[in-house]
Amino acid sequence: MKKPNSMAALEDVKIAALIREARQLLQLSQVELTSKIGVSFQSVNRWENGRNRPISLALQQIERLLHEMGKPGENLLAKYFRNQD
């Protein structure tokens, strides 16, 4: 698993894109994602639109969901983190 702060190092624009792509890859609506990670619909909507930044716990939960997917989730993480380490 990546370092817990690895997602926090991303720019806000990249975070918004990553969250949107992760949700779509997981085949979840914004409402369904909120129930999986324990946040409000408004939070996910604001994250995806770049108006707010998720707290590190929410980012870790999204990262965990992607890791649980296996190769597709790992590939998405690699897309955003190949130059982070």
Side-chain angles (χ1 to χ4, degrees), residues 2-3 5-11 14 77-85:
K2 294 266 183 209
K3 293 182 254 176
N5 292 332
S6 62
M7 288 184 102
L10 284 179
E11 303 166 12
K14 288 184 180 179
L77 288 169
K79 174 181 173 181
Y80 285 91
F81 296 105
R82 70 177 63 122
N83 296 321
Q84 288 291 316
D85 296 330

Side-chain angles (χ1 to χ4, degrees), residues 8-77:
L10 284 179
E11 303 166 12
D12 289 348
V13 172
K14 288 184 180 179
I15 290 263
L18 172 61
I19 292 171
R20 182 176 299 109
E21 285 186 59
R23 181 181 57 76
Q24 291 169 344
L25 184 63
L26 292 161
Q27 298 181 346
L28 299 173
S29 68
Q30 287 182 341
V31 172
E32 291 167 330
L33 180 60
T34 66
S35 67
K36 289 219 177 260
I37 63 173
V39 299
S40 70
F41 167 80
Q42 290 83 1
S43 292
V44 172
N45 185 271
R46 288 178 185 138
W47 299 342
E48 287 191 9
N49 289 305
R51 292 191 306 251
N52 284 58
R53 187 178 181 93
I55 62 171
S56 62
L57 180 60
L59 290 173
Q60 290 170 11
Q61 290 172 316
I62 293 167
E63 184 176 14
R64 178 186 49 80
L65 289 171
L66 289 170
H67 280 291
E68 288 174 359
M69 282 191 81
K71 191 70 171 167
E74 297 287 338
N75 289 342
L76 182 60
L77 288 169

